[in-house]
Amino acid sequence: MEPVPVELSVKRLAFAIVQFLAEQNSIGNLSEDAKEGLEVATQCLERAFGLTADQASALSVSQSLLDIFHNATKNELPLEIEPEVKKEPELKKEPVSEADKAEAERLKTEGNDLMKAGRFLDAINCYTMAIKLDRQNAVYFCNRAAAHSKAENYKAAVDDSKKAIEIDPKYAKAHGRMGQAYSSLKQYKESLEAYQKAVQLEPENESYRVNVKISEDNLKQSTPEMPQGPFGNLLSGAAPGGFDFGAILSNPNLVNMASEMMADPAMQSFMNNLVGGMSSSAGAPNEGGAGLDSLLRAGQQLAAQMQNANPDLVEQLRRQMGGGGGENDPSGGNRE
């Protein structure tokens, strides 16, 4: 029986793995033993899946295997866990050789090309290698911050932006990158401060000015406000016209009087009849007015009983509600 041919999708996956191994082998920070191991693994895969150089165009995919893996698994991490980013050693002002500077620039350019191709994790690797060669170049940290933002590693983007600013405090782009990362983290206060600093350094940059306005709007929308309107301030005690519900409801005399009234059998009978009458009116068509009249009469009777029980308290409540015949000035008389 002839062996079953390997499906095209499996063969493309094998080819992508071979490409990934080749990319890792070319980075240059592996030991000789590790490189030899990758070469052996590559040869085994090529033989096992029948991969040849002339099949490259037919088997290649649009993204690198590392990017595919990142996009497929980034949502599997708990929200509070950020992808691990190795901490860089403290910045030290050590002389950099011309050869290291040239190689760092080459790696930066390669990283920029990878960014254009959408290969953000590969770009991060290039910028990291450039930083290892020249740790005093703010551009490398700033570019890596941009790559981290594209890869949705926003906290790492903030850290790299801060390192770039530490090297060059007047680097407007680094402040802008930090503002963008903070905005993605929904830390709008910090985002606004970063963009404002970028505008100070580059007042003519329209993009920074627009982002300042966006950050201001985001900050306002994220700040909870007390509801406004006729009843907007009831919970805080103040109401339109100086009517303070909080003070009224916390009045011990009113609470005691209400308790005594509700303990009165006559008042209990009155309230039961009122509720029963309103229920029957609600069930009958075209009799909504009768229920309202009953409620108004009940209010009048209740007010009369309160007046008879404690006229001084009723007068105090009337003054608090603005009905005592005095000046009706919500501002309390304060004029400018």
Side-chain angles (χ1 to χ4, degrees), residues 256-270:
N256 291 334
M257 184 173 68
S259 299
E260 292 174 0
M261 291 178 63
M262 293 308 299
D264 186 350
M267 176 58 70
Q268 293 177 1
S269 176
F270 169 74

Side-chain angles (χ1 to χ4, degrees), residues 120-197:
F120 307 125
L121 297 181
D122 291 334
I124 290 172
N125 287 335
C126 281
Y127 295 137
T128 299
M129 288 188 289
I131 289 169
K132 288 180 179 179
L133 294 172
D134 184 359
R135 298 188 54 77
Q136 287 303 309
N137 194 317
V139 174
Y140 303 157
F141 285 103
C142 191
N143 286 10
R144 193 170 68 173
H148 277 307
S149 284
K150 289 292 187 179
E152 300 180 10
N153 302 335
Y154 302 120
K155 288 185 178 179
V158 170
D159 291 340
D160 272 349
S161 298
K162 288 180 177 179
K163 289 172 183 173
I165 293 169
E166 181 182 345
I167 297 170
D168 183 0
K170 295 184 178 181
Y171 192 9
K173 184 176 288 187
H175 290 280
R177 292 266 162 81
M178 185 163 64
Q180 180 185 17
Y182 272 132
S183 180
S184 298
L185 291 169
K186 301 188 185 305
Q187 296 180 230
Y188 300 124
K189 179 177 179 294
E190 292 81 358
S191 174
L192 176 59
E193 291 172 352
Y195 280 127
Q196 286 174 334
K197 184 63 178 179

Side-chain angles (χ1 to χ4, degrees), residues 8 71 95 128 150 162 169 199 206 255 288 290 292 319:
L8 179 60
N71 293 331
T128 299
K150 289 292 187 179
K162 288 180 177 179
V199 170
E206 185 63 24
V255 174
L292 181 59
R319 286 197 300 270

Side-chain angles (χ1 to χ4, degrees), residues 251 253 257 306-320:
N251 190 314
N253 294 327
M257 184 173 68
M306 291 175 64
Q307 177 70 31
N308 292 331
N310 195 333
D312 291 337
L313 176 60
V314 171
E315 180 60 25
Q316 179 185 353
L317 296 176
R318 184 178 290 116
R319 286 197 300 270
Q320 284 184 278

Side-chain angles (χ1 to χ4, degrees), residues 265-276:
M267 176 58 70
Q268 293 177 1
S269 176
F270 169 74
M271 295 300 294
N272 289 335
N273 292 335
L274 173 62
V275 172

